[in-house]
Amino acid sequence: MILTVTLNTALDLTYRVPALVPHASHRVTQVIERPGGKGLNVSRVLGALGHETVVTGFVGGATGETLRALLARTTAGQPVHDALVPTAGATRRTVAVVDAASGDTTQLNEPGPAITPAEWAAFTGRFAELLDGARAVALCGSLPPGIHVGAYAELVRLARAAGVPTLLDTSGEPLRRGIAARPDLVKPNAEELAQLTGSREPHRATRDARRRGAHAVVTSLGPDGLLAATPDGLWQAAPPAPVKGNPTGAGDSAVAALLAGLVDGADWPTRLTHAVALSAATVLSPVAGEFDATAYEALLPRVTVHEPATAA
């Protein structure tokens, strides 16, 4: 199985409005609730692709109960197994407001509950148990209040000691600390990469990030696809054309595809092709953690992968 970690889980709410106008009242035409947080999105996509997954992290309060109930009702593909750890605080909510006229999305994210030292100790114990039998682990998203900034580095070291490959998808100081613990793969976006390395030139920054400890770095370039610095060289993958829709969860789908390629032993061009196609197909879906399966299959043969000239 593939293990995903979401320390700051969320109940995702998606509101669709005809047009989003500042300082105005809006009539919501559709409301969708989903269990959320980056790792949960990754697990739902992996399940839809046919992979067995287990989710862990923190969950609490009435929103946490709703999240677990929705997670149990996930029906697409393989079920997502719940190994979430209770916390006294309430699980946060995130609100995505989709403007039907423009296709743009406005995101509002709550900070999450404060985690106590005892709750963190309970989680790390559960995490160590779950590593037994895991083929790979993804460490995803922000840290809730109360957890030290070296938390992901600690989890990477635990996974490495257990011989389980790790993918790290976070930002800021948790990313800086985590990458130094030598995860197998790091997947920042361009802004997170610039904050880490101080460079806004993607090729230089991606290679610099890899030198900081990661075995491989795959950078999301938004509508321009992915850039990967790997032991086999530098690769760039792009969709045939930019797609318009809801980008929420597109990066999580890319993570799911990269994890699937890792456990399947696929080569890097194949991993990146699937990651770009799945990410674009997610933009075409109105809800994070889901993708347009027809679009995914249609995009796969149209994704281009090449070694940039700067690789030399």
Side-chain angles (χ1 to χ4, degrees):
M1 61 89 172
I2 299 174
L3 176 63
T4 67
V5 173
T6 310
L7 297 177
N8 209 5
T9 58
L11 180 63
D12 284 348
L13 303 173
T14 301
Y15 295 156
R16 292 186 66 86
V17 297
L20 183 61
V21 180
H23 316 299
S25 296
H26 296 79
R27 185 173 297 278
V28 177
T29 59
Q30 184 184 32
V31 180
I32 301 173
E33 281 188 325
R34 289 289 187 275
K38 295 178 73 65
L40 270 70
N41 291 338
V42 170
S43 275
R44 293 212 311 280
V45 172
L46 283 168
L49 294 174
H51 289 270
E52 181 185 4
T53 66
V54 174
V55 297
T56 191
F58 293 102
V59 67
T63 49
E65 292 176 6
T66 301
L67 182 153
R68 297 186 97 160
L70 291 170
L71 190 63
R73 295 202 294 267
T74 300
T75 57
Q78 291 286 335
V80 176
H81 300 288
D82 178 350
L84 295 164
V85 175
T87 181
T91 296
R92 67 187 176 129
R93 294 161 298 183
T94 66
V95 179
V97 182
V98 180
D99 183 325
S102 67
D104 292 336
T105 300
T106 299
Q107 191 80 16
L108 305 172
N109 298 329
E110 295 180 0
I115 305 301
T116 68
E119 289 169 341
W120 176 246
F123 170 79
T124 54
R126 187 65 183 277
F127 178 74
E129 293 172 356
L130 291 168
L131 288 173
D132 185 17
R135 301 177 65 193
V137 58
L139 308 171
C140 302
S142 62
L143 299 179
I147 294 184
H148 63 96
V149 293
Y152 282 133
E154 181 180 345
L155 299 182
V156 169
R157 287 191 288 269
L158 286 171
R160 283 176 56 83
V164 180
T166 56
L167 183 153
L168 178 61
D169 183 12
T170 188
S171 61
E173 191 61 22
L175 173 60
R176 190 180 306 277
R177 302 281 187 96
I179 201 171
R182 305 187 64 181
D184 293 84
L185 177 59
V186 173
K187 198 216 72 64
N189 60 35
E191 182 60 32
E192 292 162 351
L193 186 70
Q195 291 175 2
L196 175 69
T197 65
S199 173
R200 291 192 175 273
E201 200 292 304
H203 298 86
R204 180 183 300 111
T206 299
R207 286 180 291 189
D208 180 23
R210 183 167 180 254
R211 285 192 290 268
R212 291 169 183 255
H215 190 63
V217 177
V218 177
T219 302
S220 173
L221 303 177
D224 295 326
L226 298 172
L227 179 65
T230 79
D232 300 325
L234 194 67
W235 303 88
Q236 188 159 355
V243 294
K244 194 168 186 178
N246 180 6
T248 307
D252 303 332
S253 289
V255 167
L258 292 169
L259 280 168
L262 172 64
V263 300
D264 292 341
D267 60 27
W268 276 104
T270 300
R271 297 187 206 186
L272 295 170
T273 295
H274 282 267
V276 167
L278 195 60
S279 180
T282 300
V283 174
L284 296 172
S285 174
V287 181
E290 296 181 3
F291 61 93
D292 185 321
T294 301
Y296 173 47
E297 295 296 333
L299 283 162
L300 277 172
R302 302 173 62 202
V303 173
T304 58
V305 183
H306 67 282
E307 294 182 86
T310 54

